[in-house]
Amino acid sequence: MEKLRCIVLDDEPIGREIIENFVKEIPFLTLTNSFGDPVEALMFLENNSVDIIFSDIQMPKINGLDFVKTLENPPVIIFITAHRDFALDGFETGATDYLVKPVRFDRFLKAVNKAKEYISLKQNSTVHQVNSDRIFIKSNGKLTKILLDEILYIEAQGDYLKIVINNEAYTTLATLKSMDEVLTLPKFFRIQRSFIINLEAIRSLNGNMAELINGKSISIAMNKKEELYQVLGIR
């Protein structure tokens, strides 16, 4: 693997310097840039790609959580904060880890090793569409062919997808957004934030629940119910 490109964002010079020095100690990391101003970091990221962002949370102008939310395709995020209470909010933005100040080197190393493993998995696990009726996914270290007609539903589980085919299930590192580009109407429908279902797998509808032919019940998002009924031709 090539060196992972990093930037550091912290409005406190001392905190920024500590992380900069930690990055320089890790052989597989390279420090691309460092910022005390989140606006300057955003301008840099418009024209430059990085693999990891080490970001403080409490900063003027834009806090770290809002900073990440402005990124269209965020890289791996590792938050740095003086307050443990921010940890849950950090994970809700999709952060890989968070470090509490004062940051210890051993804890920093653990976080970057976790980031390295995630990036490696992401680079080597994906969904390949070979034609209109089948895909290949990387699962358990091998490429597995899946016929689209056989898929009952796909569930997002963190950074992974669970693809269910009758009584079998496969897990691969991918996003529902990437599957949206492969699985389209009139066959498949994004029924809520975490699920895409095969419309032909629906056995019954009851209120805001859809029961599939394998017995699985999935809730229908309020803003999706009317569209689902229209797609199914139910008036």
Side-chain angles (χ1 to χ4, degrees), residues 135-201:
I135 58 176
F136 277 85
I137 65 168
K138 285 188 177 179
S139 180
N140 296 322
K142 61 183 179 181
L143 283 170
T144 300
K145 180 179 73 175
I146 294 179
L147 298 178
L148 299 187
D149 284 345
E150 296 180 348
I151 296 175
L152 299 182
Y153 68 89
I154 300 175
E155 179 183 1
Q157 297 182 330
D159 297 319
Y160 293 83
L161 292 183
K162 178 183 178 183
I163 302 175
V164 177
I165 304 171
N166 296 323
N167 295 321
E168 293 182 277
Y170 300 91
T171 302
T172 189
L173 184 64
T175 63
L176 274 188
K177 183 178 179 181
S178 68
M179 291 302 297
D180 272 335
E181 300 170 0
V182 177
L183 307 176
T184 58
L185 286 171
K187 186 79 172 178
F188 293 91
F189 185 82
R190 181 85 170 260
I191 197 169
Q192 51 141 290
R193 181 179 180 182
S194 300
F195 286 88
I196 295 174
I197 65 169
N198 184 336
L199 293 176
E200 294 184 5

Side-chain angles (χ1 to χ4, degrees), residues 23 71 73 91 93 129-131 149 163 198 202 215 225 235:
V23 169
L71 302 179
N73 294 300
F91 284 126
T93 67
Q129 183 172 20
V130 292
N131 57 40
D149 284 345
I163 302 175
N198 184 336
I202 295 176
K225 186 174 180 179
R235 297 290 183 264

Side-chain angles (χ1 to χ4, degrees), residues 38-39 42 57-68 70:
V39 176
L42 286 173
I57 291 183
Q58 286 188 299
M59 295 181 291
K61 297 183 182 178
I62 305 173
N63 69 42
L65 301 173
D66 291 335
F67 169 83
V68 171
T70 65

